[in-house]
Amino acid sequence: MDKENCVVQSDPVTGLPNRFAFLKALDDELHGSNGEAKGAVMVIDLDNFQLVNETYGLRVGDEALCQIAENIANFMPPDVLLYKLDVDQFCLFWPEAMPEEMAIVYSSLQLSLREIPAIADKIYCTATAGVAMYPTDGTDADTLLKHARAAKTIARLEGGDRIGLFEQNAYEAWKYTVIMQGLMKTSIARGCENFFLYFQPQVHADTGKLYGAEALLRWRSESGEILPPLEFIPILEKTRLIIPAGHWIIEEAVKACKKWQKYLPDFQMSINISLYQLEEQMLCAFVEDCLQRYEMEPKSIVLELTEGQSVSNWDFVNEQFAAFRRLGIQIAMDDFGTGYATLNFLKRFECDLIKLDRFVIEDILDSEFNQNLVKYSIKLCHSLGYEVCVEGVEEAEVYHFLRDECKADAIQGFYFGRPEPEEIFEKRLIQQ
Ligand code: C2E
Ligand code: MG
Ligand code: MG
């Protein structure tokens, strides 16, 4: 269908003019007033409309769409036209409108959706809207529509059933995530190209002697910049790419551990595992196979469960980790004291080792209260039968306090070494 034909077309269900008509009318508006046009573009997307079609059929869906379209039009001044963008998306531009007016229109729409006759007693229907203002957020129709839609998508990611105004910073952050998802996917498809592991020393608290390392993931961007995991692990988790990446991480970490046991036979490797990785039922079998291939004793491996997500099914998590523990692998609770890693976690999660988060100890020298908090947290863990590794130790004084007063078992922190590339860690190990 050529563009000219599309322009004259209207949506067969509602009779509203379509996207092409919208873009043309908006372009005319923008060019008609010597570039001085001001106003708002709004996109309205029904959040769960497919449920209407799937549950009650297309006829009810079509009727509801017509009633919704009529409702939106009723909230607008008579000269503002409504257009149909997609199956359940509408859009409009309102010359001279301010963001506050768009918010009022949206609120009226939000309320009216509860009363759409065709679906009122059937489905709780909501809508998410995105607004871009002209000329500030764009000076051509394509850009304005793109930005209004992006504002809508971001508002939906925040839970939907709300209106979002285009905001350049939020848009850049969202675009970054979308682009990163693509880059991560390509990297992983190419055998985890550009991913690599850093290793941070772990030492016995009483002697300060190195006994192992934590493997920490990094990713190198095209420009050569090395990204820390907090910038991409959430993306890997959300897309479940953490599952194939996790295999690679385990394989590489076990390989390095094997190599370093030549220098230190009891060398231990800690590997981070996020809850998403447990969704893969075969993870335990994969780890077992990996250990066999490298002839590695299971006790050399510690799996650290990183918090970051609340656990809804403890039985499932404990079953998975029980399988690892039966093999002889040790399990650690990471980041204890922050986020979701709380007393509740301690009560429900069956593990061998607790890693005290660095935020718990960062201001330990400031007050006796802070010192007591750490000291008695460690005491609590010990009395429950767990070993404790304290993270984030940067100063000698803190180390001495943790060693002498708190009787911590292990220390990991910049004071003993930062996360470093494999070759550099290896030199450290050989020289110690
Ligand atoms: P984590 O597992 O708690 O790892 C410790 C983090 O604390 C590391 O940050 C390390 O660089 C940092 N750290 C250690 N000692 C100090 C210190 O003395 N001072 C300060 N300021 N920081 C210290 P990193 O490497 O940025 O990793 C952040 C988080 O990303 C990790 O926290 C872990 O939750 C996650 N992560 C890293 N690698 C992986 C991985 O391979 N898989 C999964 N699922 N998550 C990973
Ligand atoms: Mg960790
Ligand atoms: Mg940690």
Side-chain angles (χ1 to χ4, degrees), residues 214 272 304 306 334 355 391:
E214 176 171 8
N272 291 290
E304 298 187 359
T306 57
D334 209 348
K355 292 193 78 178
E391 289 188 295

Side-chain angles (χ1 to χ4, degrees), residues 6-11 14-22 81-85 91:
C6 295
V7 170
V8 294
Q9 287 234 331
S10 57
D11 170 59
T14 56
L16 292 176
N18 68 7
R19 167 159 63 102
F20 300 97
F22 172 77
L81 275 185
L82 185 64
Y83 298 80
K84 184 90 176 304
L85 203 54
C91 64

Side-chain angles (χ1 to χ4, degrees), residues 402-429:
L402 292 166
R403 179 190 65 189
D404 303 335
E405 304 289 325
C406 305
K407 310 282 180 247
D409 302 283
I411 305 284
Q412 185 180 334
F414 292 177
Y415 178 63
F416 287 99
R418 290 178 178 251
E420 51 203 14
E422 194 166 331
E423 328 71 77
I424 297 183
F425 185 88
E426 191 162 314
K427 276 192 196 132
R428 170 196 292 279
L429 187 64

